Structures are given as structure tokens and as C-alpha cells.
Amino acid sequence: MKLAALLTSAGINTAVCIVLFSLYSILRKQPSLVNVYFGAKIAQVRSRQQDAFRFDRFVPSPSWILKAWETSDDEIYASGGLDAVVFVRLIVFSFRILSIAAIVCNFLVLPLNYFGKEMQRHQVPAETLEAFTIVNVEEGSRWLWAHCFALYLVSCCACFLLYLEYRSITRMRLAYFTSSVSNPSYFTVLVRAIPWSREESYSGTVTRFFSNFYASSFLSHQIVYRSGSVQKLVTDAGKMCKILKLTPRELHIGSHSMRCGLCGTTSSFNVLPMDEEGDKGRSDFGGADLRKKECAAALVFFRNRYAALVASQSLQSRNPMTWVTNLSPEPGDMYWSNICVPYRLLWIRKIAILVASMALVAFFVAPVSLTQGLVHLDKLQRTFPFLKGVLKRKGMSQLATGYLPSVVLIIFMYMVPPIMLLFSTLEGSISRSGRKRSASIKVLCFLIWNVFFGNILSGSVIERFSKIFKDVTYLLATAVPSTATFFMTYVLTSGWASLSIELMQPFGLLRNLFYRFILRNNDVTTYGTYTFPYHTEVPRILLFGLFGFVYSTLCPLILPFLLVYFSLAYLVYRNQILNVYVTKYETGGTYWPIVHNTTIFSMVLMQVIAMAVFGLKKSTVASSFVIPLIILTLLFNEYCRQRFQPLFKHIPAQILIEMDRQDEQDGKMKDIHEKLKLAYTQFKCKSRTLGDPMPPDHNNCRLEDLELKPGKSPVHLSA
């Protein structure tokens, strides 16, 4: 690929960004789109819908950029929680380390790459991008020591910054624990695989077991009932059957008409009441039916936090497949349908998901090979001679090599996050945040293998399939630098343009149009809100970080494009966290170990590839000097794993004991126990007596019984 093709891709994506950024600054001012661009603040900005027409609504303005820039970490925490702060710190860390790499490598390594060989020079736009990579350095050149020095400098700076971030975020997580005094999950243990008994229900079995072995600390319990998608369909079908049995007069009572956007009439269909008059006084849950709907799972409440921690980490019986205990997720984080999955089937599900993930990776080999074929036009023309005439037209080759490969790959990649989220759901995650975190790991592994290694291997397959497995080191040393051109265009297309799409929220716009013009529903509070897509954005940021590490010494020309991406990402995502996404649950910053492990992997991969390239260039001494660097990086990772990682897996008992003592001294423990009885609401109305297998009559439900959202105290984020 020539530099002109890269500039063509950069120009196209820059124009797309400018147009979409300007369009966003106009659309966000429109009263009818408040729910799309201010979902997190819809209660505060609803008054905008009553404003009169103003001309400034149709003039682009950078006000949102200034607001995103001036926002503090405390405001980010208040809006998006600790996970949002960790995500922003990931972007800041990536920008810092790649800034150092860009300064060192572009001023030291890039000139050596360009003048590494005696060759005929062309005008800069006509130069091939290989002229700016380490491929252009002569074998045995003494200037390879400059590459080795840059490698050491980038690695040391990355380890130093990574340590500072890990330490700072660990302090934030400890502050998150101490600030969550009223968190009911600290008192609650989720028990699964409860043994079945003919003589008594699951509720009775739980009461007998914990009253016997945890008599001094056991408070009460709450049985979990089946509430999956199939059960919901059955319940809905039963409600429809009851509705059909009602007389027309009964059907008319309590309903109201809604205008249809397709036919325009006001009596097209009626919105039926949620509770029919004929059903009042009757409960959908009979005692006999509830016994059948009980799952072999329960939420067990303890009198103090430390007792719950001990019970959650202990082996409860001689059979490890029964009485399985874990600390419960927060009430809003519970994934109720997965809790009812039989525990003995989870390992089978995980194996099946692993096989399905491998099949998905194999399925994507075809589009990845297609994109690499577009990059290597000379090889593609030899394979398909009929394309020669088309690709010789003016501008077609630059468009085909500089823009189309990334677009084709991105279109296919949009299918991956929803599929991986489904896989994580089927694995049996008990929390919504855990499901999204698991999907993040799957998407990250998929992107690293298919986008990075897949493109490297497929680029080599086109040329030499028979030699691909003979020498992996030689393959990495030759294929990685040659694919740098594709990854530059991928950063432009998947990076810059994707941020513009994230700002525009196309799915939210379409949903708004559907509700407003098809359903004729103008109540924006019924349109729904979104949570932040960590399973999509965290892997993308980490993938671009991997590109920066691997190509910092091989092809430093990619670093300025990455810095532009991270600069835009810092502003865009802060704006989205503040205005668009609603935080319903979080992991407490547990995404950072994923960031740390991926960064260490990227650094080691960078060092291994550099060592292979030095060996290929006949610089054995420089290649040998990389080995100590690899060892030191792995030792640094092991230190961080021992020092920080346990705090992201477990809650320190010291913190919980101190919180228990403070609450007992202040006399708050009794009040906390009362609130526990209403914390976890699987259904709309819950019994005030936990462990009671019979939900109360709907006539006796109070408003505060229908929904409870425990809040969190704010935490000071300064490290």
C-alpha cells in the first residue's frame, strides 16, 4: 500500500467525523431527541421539550466538548460508578504510554527505518508504507540498537505507569467497599444446588440447614422462583387467556385508546389495564403452584457482614456439588433466570460455549482472508485475473487498499459482541455485570485472535501456505511488519468513525422514530434507557493499545493515528457516560485486571516479535538483549498479581468487620436487618417475611414494596 492510499482513508474518515460530530451537536439540542442523547438526565431535561423554537438549535457548537473536558472524576463516578472511572482511566493510560512511544519512536526509530537502505526515493505520497517500517532496515545494521533502546524505554515506562494505575484503582476499590455501608449484598449469600427432599420444600430445607450450622448468625432466607423467558411466556399466555374470558364491558373498564401510526385512527387498539377488576383479590401464585416453581437456590441473610463472607467462602458439605455458596450480587445486578439453572449443568454449558466460540472464530476466517486479499492487490489479481481491469481505474486501487478492507471487516465484527453476550448468558452467570464482564473477555480474545493474528496469518496464507507452521518466529518477524498498513486503516475506520457512530446513537434514533411516529407515543419516559456497553468498548480500546505496543518500534507511523483516536475517545466516552448511559449495576472496578493482563500480554508480544525481527535482521546481540526484558516484564506481572489482584476477587474481612463494629456501636444493625427483608425483589411485590413461600395478596401491597433501589454513598476518588 502506498502512502497516498493511507491518506485517502484518513481523509474519508476525517470528513465522516467532522460531519457526524457537527450533526450530533445539532441533534442533541432537539427537544424530541432528549431521550436519545440525555437518557441519564431525562428527569432534569424534560422541560426542554416545552421550549419555543430557537435558531441556535440548528447551529453546530462545541459546548459538549468543553463540558466533557471540564468534568472531574468525581462527577464521572457519580454518573457512571467506579466502572466508568476505570474505563476513563484506561483511555488516559493508553494515551500516556503511546504518547511516550510516539515521541521516542517517531523521532528516533522512524528516520532510521526510512533511511535504512540505499534505494531510489520517490515523492512522499508515492512511497510505499513498507519504507517507513523496520522491513526497510538492512540486515546486520548497527542502527537496530536504537530499536532495542526504544523497546526498553517503552517497556519500562509502561510498567511504571501500569503500576501507578493499578495502585490508584485499588485504592478506589477499597474506598468503594467502605462507602457501600448500606449494600445488602454484604449480608447476603446466594445458595445453589440445595438438596431436594420429599418431606419438605426447599424453603424448609434451607431453614433447617442454616439454623443448625449457623445458628448464631443466620437471620432469614428467601427462596428463588423460576422466572426465565419460558416461564414469562407461560405467565403472559395465562393473562391473555383471562383477558379473552372477560366480557366487552369488563374489558372496556380501565383501558384507554391509543392512536396507531400506520392507519391514523384513534380507536385502532386499546391498551388493556395491568390488573383486571375480575382478578382482584386473586393471586397468580397459589401455594401448590409455588412449590412447583421453587428453584434449588435461595438468598440467605446473615446478621453481620463477616458471617456472610465466611459462609460464602466455605465448603458447606461433603459433596462439593451441593450447598454451593457465593456472596450475592447487588439487588439490581441479579440475573434471576440464570440462578435457577441446575448447578450440575454449568460445567457442561461452559464446555459447549467454548466449542461454540471456537466455531465462531473458524467462521470468521473467511471475512478476515477477504480483507487481507483487498490489501494485497497484486496477489489478489494473480488469483482472480478478471479483477485487473477494475482495479486499474483511477482511484480504485487506493480506495480498495486504503478503505474497503477495514469497512468489510468492521461490518462482520458488529455481529460478535451480541453473540458473545448471548454465550455469556448461556454459561450461567448469576449477575448482569458478571455476564457483561465475561462477554468482554470473550470479545477481547476474539478480536486479538481474528483481527490481529487472523490478519497476520491470512496475509501469509495468500503467499505461502505450506510454510506457515514451520517457523512461527520467522512468520511473526516477516508478517507482522508487512500487515502494519492494514492496521493503520483499521484504526482510522474502526476507531475514528466508530466514535462518530457512538455519538450519533443510530439505534436510539431509530427507536425514537418508531415510538414517536409509528406508535404515536410521546412519553419519553417509556422509551427505555441503555447501560454502558463495556463488553464492546473495553475490548476495542485494548485492541488498539495492542496495536500501539506491537508496532511502536516496527512501524511508528501508526502511533499518531492512535493518539488522535484516544483523544477523541476521551471526550466522546465521558460525554456518553454523563448524558446517555444509565448505571443500573457495576462490578466495582473489576475490569482493571482485564486491562492489566491484556497490557502485559501486549508488551510481551511486542518484545517477542522484536526479538524475532532482530534475529531475522542478523543482529543476534540485540535479539539476546530482549530476553532479560521479557523476564523482567513477567516478574513485574507476577508481583502485581500477588499485590493487587486478590483485592479484585475478594472483599477484605478487615473492612467488613470494622463496618460491623461501627454499625453495632451506632445502633444501626437492627434497621439494616429490617431493610434486608425488602432489598431483593424478584417479583413486583415481595413478602415482608423472608422465607415465606407464599407471596402476599396484591391488594395488601404498598407502593414502597413494589421496588427498592438501594443507593450508594459517594466516594472520594483521589488516590
Side-chain angles (χ1 to χ4, degrees), residues 151 154-155 549-550 552 601-610:
L151 184 69
V154 171
S155 299
F549 277 110
V550 170
S552 58
F601 172 80
S602 302
M603 292 170 57
V604 173
L605 182 62
M606 169 186 68
Q607 296 159 4
V608 170
I609 293 175

Side-chain angles (χ1 to χ4, degrees), residues 112 116-118 134-144 474 478 612-620:
L112 298 178
K117 283 184 180 179
E118 292 292 336
I134 201 171
V135 175
N136 201 46
V137 179
E138 289 184 346
E139 294 183 358
S141 174
R142 65 179 184 276
W143 296 116
L144 288 172
Y474 178 80
T478 55
V613 172
F614 294 158
L616 185 65
K617 293 293 182 179
K618 304 296 178 61
S619 181
T620 55

Side-chain angles (χ1 to χ4, degrees), residues 259-557:
R259 184 176 181 181
C260 177
L262 295 177
C263 58
T265 60
T266 58
S267 58
S268 297
F269 57 92
N270 291 333
V271 178
L272 297 175
M274 294 299 295
D275 295 319
E276 298 81 11
E277 293 289 336
D279 283 344
K280 282 188 177 181
R282 298 200 306 265
S283 174
D284 291 336
F285 300 93
D289 291 338
L290 267 183
R291 176 69 189 274
K292 297 177 182 178
K293 292 180 180 179
E294 284 184 351
C295 294
L299 296 170
V300 178
F301 302 94
F302 289 83
R303 298 184 182 277
N304 56 69
R305 300 173 182 86
Y306 179 68
L309 179 67
V310 172
S312 67
Q313 297 180 359
S314 303
L315 195 63
Q316 303 298 328
S317 70
R318 296 181 179 87
N319 182 4
M321 296 295 288
T322 60
W323 296 107
V324 180
T325 55
N326 302 96
L327 269 183
S328 173
E330 296 182 16
D333 196 19
M334 295 286 290
Y335 202 79
W336 295 101
S337 59
N338 271 356
I339 295 176
C340 292
V341 176
Y343 184 80
R344 64 182 182 276
L345 299 180
L346 291 181
W347 69 275
I348 300 177
R349 287 193 174 205
K350 291 180 179 179
I351 294 176
I353 293 303
L354 177 62
V355 174
S357 301
M358 295 173 63
L360 186 65
V361 170
F363 171 78
F364 271 84
V365 170
V368 170
S369 300
L370 174 62
T371 57
Q372 276 300 311
L374 291 174
V375 174
H376 301 277
L377 286 183
D378 53 341
K379 303 169 187 176
L380 193 65
Q381 289 175 7
R382 289 196 299 267
T383 307
F384 304 101
F386 62 88
L387 295 177
K388 291 183 179 179
V390 177
L391 296 175
K392 286 182 179 179
R393 295 179 182 176
K394 185 178 180 180
M396 285 300 298
S397 61
Q398 295 180 0
L399 181 64
T401 58
Y403 193 71
L404 289 182
S406 300
V407 173
V408 172
L409 186 60
I410 290 169
I411 291 174
F412 281 98
M413 288 300 165
Y414 271 114
M415 301 166 52
V416 176
I419 295 175
M420 293 304 184
L421 190 61
L422 175 62
F423 285 173
S424 298
T425 303
L426 295 177
E427 272 187 337
S429 176
I430 61 175
S431 66
R432 298 181 182 276
S433 61
R435 177 186 65 149
K436 194 168 285 189
R437 184 176 181 274
S438 176
S440 299
I441 298 174
K442 291 181 177 63
V443 174
L444 177 62
C445 295
F446 182 92
L447 291 179
I448 292 177
W449 175 253
N450 271 71
V451 176
F452 183 73
F453 288 106
N455 278 282
I456 291 173
L457 296 177
S458 61
S460 301
V461 166
I462 298 175
E463 186 174 5
R464 55 180 193 284
F465 180 79
S466 60
K467 300 179 181 179
I468 191 170
F469 296 106
K470 290 185 178 180
D471 192 349
V472 176
T473 304
Y474 178 80
L475 174 64
L476 291 175
T478 55
V480 172
S482 64
T483 53
T485 56
F486 167 77
F487 291 119
M488 288 185 193
T489 62
Y490 185 83
V491 170
L492 292 172
T493 307
S494 179
W496 295 12
S498 66
L499 291 175
S500 304
I501 296 174
E502 169 64 29
L503 267 181
M504 290 296 297
Q505 292 288 308
F507 181 77
L509 286 173
L510 292 175
R511 190 176 65 168
N512 180 277
L513 293 175
F514 177 78
Y515 272 86
R516 192 172 296 276
F517 297 105
I518 303 301
L519 297 181
R520 297 299 178 96
N521 181 3
N522 293 322
D523 185 5
V524 296
T525 60
T526 63
Y527 291 4
T529 54
Y530 299 103
T531 56
F532 193 89
Y534 291 103
H535 64 294
T536 302
E537 306 309 320
V538 170
R540 178 178 292 150
I541 297 289
L542 292 176
L543 179 67
F544 289 151
L546 183 143
F547 292 163
F549 277 110
V550 170
Y551 287 104
S552 58
T553 56
L554 304 181
C555 182
L557 202 60

Side-chain angles (χ1 to χ4, degrees), residues 63-121:
S63 59
W64 68 272
I65 297 178
L66 298 177
K67 175 62 178 176
W69 176 263
E70 295 171 354
T71 301
S72 65
D73 282 350
D74 289 324
E75 292 177 287
I76 294 293
Y77 180 87
S79 180
L82 185 56
D83 286 342
V85 177
V86 168
F87 182 77
V88 173
R89 295 293 284 265
L90 165 61
I91 298 175
V92 173
F93 165 77
S94 302
F95 181 84
R96 286 174 177 173
I97 184 58
L98 293 185
S99 297
I100 297 173
I103 294 173
V104 173
C105 297
N106 279 295
F107 287 98
L108 177 63
V109 174
L110 186 61
L112 298 178
N113 288 347
Y114 185 70
F115 296 104
K117 283 184 180 179
E118 292 292 336
M119 55 182 293
Q120 183 180 0
R121 302 294 174 184

Side-chain angles (χ1 to χ4, degrees), residues 186-199:
Y186 293 164
F187 294 86
T188 310
V189 173
L190 175 63
V191 183
R192 292 177 289 173
I194 302 172
W196 182 78
S197 173
R198 291 180 179 273
E199 289 76 17

Side-chain angles (χ1 to χ4, degrees), residues 8-28:
T8 300
S9 178
I12 294 174
N13 286 284
T14 302
V16 170
C17 287
I18 293 175
V19 171
L20 293 182
F21 275 45
S22 301
L23 183 60
Y24 165 75
S25 67
I26 295 175
L27 293 179
R28 70 191 299 270

